[in-house]
Amino acid sequence: MRLINRHPDRAGRLVLVLLPFALLLFLYFSASASRLADNPGDKLLPSATQMAAAIDRLAFTEDKRSGNYLFWQDTGASLSRLGLGIGIAALLGLCLGIAAGILPLFRAPLSPLLTVLSMVPPLAILPILFIVFGLGELAKVMLIVIGITPVLARDLEQRAREIPQEILIKAQTLGASTWTLILRVVLPQLLPRLLIALRLVLGSAWLFLIAAEAIASTDGLGYRIFLVRRYMAMDVILPYVVWITLLAWLMDLGLRQLTRLCFPWYEGAKA
Amino acid sequence: MKPIENRPVASESLTRSPERSTLTQPARTFIDVKNVWQEYGDQVVLERLNLTVNQGEFCTLVGASGCGKSTFLRLLLGQERASRGEILLDGQPLAAEPDSSRGVVFQRYSVFPHLSVLDNVAIGLELPRARLLGRLFGRAKREAREQAAAILHKVGLGHALDKYPSQLSGGMQQRLAIAQALIMKPRVLLLDEPFGALDPGIRKDMHGLLLELWQETGVTVFMVTHDLSEGFSLGTRLLVFDKTRIDPHAPGAFGARITYDIPLNSDRRAQRAAVAALPAHITGDLQSAL
Ligand SMILES: Nc1ncnc2c1ncn2[C@@H]1O[C@H](COP(=O)(O)OP(=O)(O)OP(=O)(O)O)[C@@H](O)[C@H]1O
Ligand SMILES: [Mg+2]
């Protein structure tokens, strides 16, 4: 049988899904064990117990200086920045995308502008953000907003343009004004596409967050990683990276489920 | 059905026969197309179009592919403006953008994919009444939905009110599109190859439905079709679009005109005229039942 016609069955699929992860873990821990056997003070590949101890210290023991649980404080700070940034970017992107995609008078000035803006490397203007907005929360949130809004807006503009002309004409013959047409026809059709676009920019959003936290912050997941780097504390860095990955994966999953739940009519939701 | 070939030009007297239609219908010019041209760049698509249509007529439009039938419908719909000439609706120049006086059914993409069948029709009652949010609430919403359900039962979609359009067959989607257009009680209904993608059996059902609705509502219909027999059997008037002049070196130099204008189905026309002559309170009942 040809390779392209061979499908794994249910059990086989599960095994195939888990296999690469198991392989990675096995490789890591065997390498870690052999290094630690050579040199018990080795910091590069900490063992599971070392990492568990680090997590226990950060997540389940009060910090002596501040009295906080650092791990959760970092997580809360990062997630609120990320949520705020993504929320503002989604709202802005939606407004810009609809304006540029549906209203010809707005498309003329907006479309080329968005194209140019999306070419500006956000990290290159990070210093400007720190100068303008100071080193506080605002600059970090703004970096996420500036980084992903043009991408979202351009994607949504494209999606809005893909709405068949017939649909817009039909809505007008049903008595819609421009405003109610956007509210009842365009917006509902773009919302599932917004969720999909958000899934795609989630990675960049995390990148900008961690970059901003690494440079100027006093808490946050990115801040902690870059802080403990000085002590080569791989036993902290690795669990933090795994935790960030898990959070990002959960957000992706959440967005996908939300699309399926809220927009059952949307065919792309099944993918 | 193969597209109509180029035919010799019919004489003016044959193309336009207002005298004949006055015999069976009250002579009330409803739509008046006056010397309309439509050009895109230097491509002339329609030229010197003259046409008068009375209220309640069922015009079927046929012609070779690309000769400008859809363009003519777009002009009637107000989606585009004619490059020259004007179109009067009840003596007034046509509104320059689509509005609720003219309903439309396209071959595809006529219904909203994100709304259930019921809401696809109810939205037509909500949009004109709720200028701010575009939706009704409470009792008004319930009433709109009941009205929508009534017309959906009429077109045979009573069992599918909660489905989404993607779950409907092609024929059901077109039924939905027709119900959606008619809930607005438009004065003109424009259909662009509405049954082009349907198989013959379903098509027959749709013909019956369309004629029934036309009889009851008295709406003036323009329907583009590629199926000549469909055009003959449905309409009270068949309009043939064709180029009368062709320059082989510049295919875009001349546009299509209406070369034949054939009155059809005089019995049906008479029937309609009789319905139109009924006292208003009876026809009013008929219409509100819809
Ligand atoms: N917006 C436009 N810009 C330029 N040319 C156009 C435009 N719309 C239509 N045309 C041209 O006008 C001509 C008529 O198009 P139209 O769609 O009206 O034909 P049609 O009779 O409906 O054909 P069909 O039976 O295939 O649907 C075509 O040659 C097309 O290329
Ligand atoms: Mg056409």
Side-chain angles (χ1 to χ4, degrees):
Chain A
M1 209 181 203
R2 288 187 194 87
L3 195 55
I4 62 161
N5 292 325
R6 297 186 55 179
H7 300 276
D9 59 12
R10 253 188 112 76
R13 182 184 301 268
L14 193 67
V15 169
L16 286 178
V17 166
L18 294 179
L19 189 67
F21 292 102
L23 212 62
L24 272 177
L25 286 178
F26 172 77
L27 276 179
Y28 175 83
F29 284 114
S30 55
S32 159
S34 76
R35 278 185 76 105
L36 286 170
D38 286 350
N39 170 16
D42 181 63
K43 290 193 128 183
L44 195 62
L45 301 179
S47 70
T49 29
Q50 286 171 319
M51 287 193 274
I55 296 174
D56 184 55
R57 184 158 41 80
L58 287 167
F60 303 110
T61 324
E62 268 185 28
D63 180 51
K64 278 184 226 90
R65 227 177 313 148
S66 61
N68 288 328
Y69 295 91
L70 292 179
F71 181 80
W72 302 113
Q73 191 194 353
D74 289 339
T75 306
S78 285
L79 283 186
S80 64
R81 285 169 198 146
L82 193 69
L84 205 59
I86 290 182
I88 295 174
L91 210 62
L92 272 178
L94 202 57
C95 293
L96 290 171
I98 289 178
I102 296 291
L103 306 170
L105 276 183
F106 285 78
R107 176 180 307 164
L110 273 181
S111 205
L113 180 70
L114 285 175
T115 310
V116 171
L117 283 186
S118 67
M119 301 297 163
V120 177
L123 286 179
I125 56 168
L126 185 57
I128 305 179
L129 294 182
F130 284 137
I131 292 168
V132 175
F133 296 113
L135 296 178
E137 292 301 287
L138 189 58
K140 296 176 207 100
V141 173
M142 281 310 287
L143 179 67
I144 300 176
V145 171
I146 290 179
I148 64 178
T149 300
V151 184
L152 285 178
R154 284 184 74 195
D155 186 61
L156 289 171
E157 177 195 347
Q158 201 51 43
R159 305 289 156 236
R161 280 201 220 182
E162 281 169 11
I163 295 178
Q165 194 66 29
E166 285 92 334
I167 293 279
L168 304 182
I169 300 284
K170 184 79 182 203
Q172 295 177 56
T173 66
L174 296 183
S177 63
T178 302
W179 170 242
T180 52
L181 187 150
I182 287 175
L183 214 53
R184 292 237 38 207
V185 178
V186 177
L187 189 62
Q189 296 204 32
L190 286 186
L191 281 180
R193 295 166 185 211
L194 171 69
L195 293 187
I196 289 176
L198 280 181
R199 285 174 63 194
L200 294 178
V201 298
L202 214 52
S204 332
W206 273 103
L207 168 74
F208 298 133
L209 173 74
I210 289 173
E213 285 181 345
I215 293 173
S217 192
T218 53
D219 57 3
L221 297 167
Y223 162 75
R224 192 70 51 200
I225 293 179
F226 277 79
L227 182 73
V228 302
R229 181 187 57 107
R230 290 180 220 156
Y231 322 114
M232 279 245 314
M234 287 293 274
D235 55 341
V236 173
I237 296 178
L238 285 180
Y240 262 66
V241 170
V242 171
W243 177 238
I244 291 173
T245 311
L246 184 71
L247 287 176
W249 181 74
L250 284 176
M251 284 180 190
D252 184 81
L253 189 72
L255 285 171
R256 191 167 65 199
Q257 296 298 350
L258 197 65
T259 317
R260 207 179 298 176
L261 209 68
C262 299
F263 310 105
W265 53 270
Y266 185 64
E267 277 145 26
K270 289 171 198 129
Chain B
M1 178 80 19
K2 71 186 173 84
I4 298 158
E5 318 274 62
N6 277 332
R7 297 236 178 99
V9 194
S11 68
E12 266 319 288
S13 66
L14 201 150
T15 40
R16 309 223 296 121
S17 51
E19 320 85 57
R20 222 183 308 177
S21 55
T22 46
L23 292 179
T24 48
Q25 290 211 322
R28 177 147 169 271
T29 299
F30 179 49
I31 291 173
D32 198 355
V33 179
K34 287 183 169 170
N35 190 34
V36 160
W37 294 62
Q38 184 65 332
E39 295 156 12
Y40 298 110
D42 51 9
Q43 185 193 3
V44 183
V45 176
L46 297 171
E47 63 175 47
R48 288 180 290 145
L49 232 51
N50 285 294
L51 185 72
T52 56
V53 175
N54 294 335
Q55 192 143 26
E57 281 198 271
F58 192 134
C59 302
T60 45
L61 282 55
V62 297
S65 189
C67 73
K69 307 178 295 294
S70 300
T71 304
F72 183 58
L73 281 202
R74 282 201 298 276
L75 294 177
L76 287 176
L77 187 59
Q79 191 181 343
E80 287 174 13
R81 283 190 82 93
S83 340
R84 280 185 250 171
E86 61 172 351
I87 303 179
L88 303 179
L89 191 133
D90 239 355
Q92 301 296 318
L94 209 62
E97 57 180 2
D99 60 21
S100 53
S101 70
R102 289 156 289 169
V104 66
V105 175
F106 299 103
Q107 186 174 0
R108 298 173 62 206
Y109 305 124
S110 272
V111 296
F112 303 123
H114 63 289
L115 294 178
S116 69
V117 166
L118 186 61
D119 283 333
N120 251 293
V121 177
I123 192 177
L125 300 168
E126 295 188 279
L127 286 173
R129 283 184 222 165
R131 303 311 300 179
L132 190 61
L133 290 177
R135 58 172 81 234
L136 299 171
F137 298 94
R139 224 186 79 185
K141 184 183 181 101
R142 218 170 36 247
E143 280 170 7
R145 289 188 146 184
E146 276 164 18
Q147 225 176 317
I151 193 169
L152 282 165
H153 278 286
K154 201 159 173 44
V155 300
L157 285 178
H159 59 285
L161 297 183
D162 294 325
K163 293 205 162 135
Y164 285 103
S166 59
Q167 299 168 298
L168 302 182
S169 70
M172 288 161 88
Q173 287 193 21
Q174 291 308 72
R175 282 168 193 269
L176 175 58
I178 291 173
Q180 198 183 33
L182 286 178
I183 192 96
M184 303 305 291
K185 302 201 163 66
R187 309 181 68 188
V188 185
L189 181 60
L190 305 166
L191 305 149
D192 197 348
E193 300 180 41
F195 314 135
L198 307 183
D199 60 64
I202 312 261
R203 221 182 247 228
K204 253 216 135 57
D205 294 347
M206 299 298 290
H207 291 170
L209 173 69
L210 187 56
L211 279 180
E212 194 182 317
L213 293 172
W214 170 70
Q215 296 274 11
E216 283 175 25
T217 55
V219 64
T220 307
V221 178
F222 289 84
M223 174 169 143
V224 173
T225 175
H226 270 143
D227 183 344
L228 199 52
S229 68
E230 180 175 86
F232 270 105
S233 67
L234 276 184
T236 58
R237 193 168 170 186
L238 183 80
L239 306 173
V240 181
F241 282 68
D242 202 357
K243 289 194 181 189
T244 55
R245 299 175 289 175
I246 289 176
D247 181 347
H249 304 292
F254 298 110
R257 307 192 59 200
I258 296 176
T259 50
Y260 287 90
D261 180 352
I262 308 166
L264 299 167
N265 302 313
S266 50
D267 51 330
R268 198 180 292 149
R269 242 175 322 138
Q271 220 175 341
R272 256 243 28 92
V275 172
L278 284 176
H281 63 274
I282 296 179
T283 48
D285 284 351
L286 270 178
Q287 299 221 1
S288 61
L290 193 99

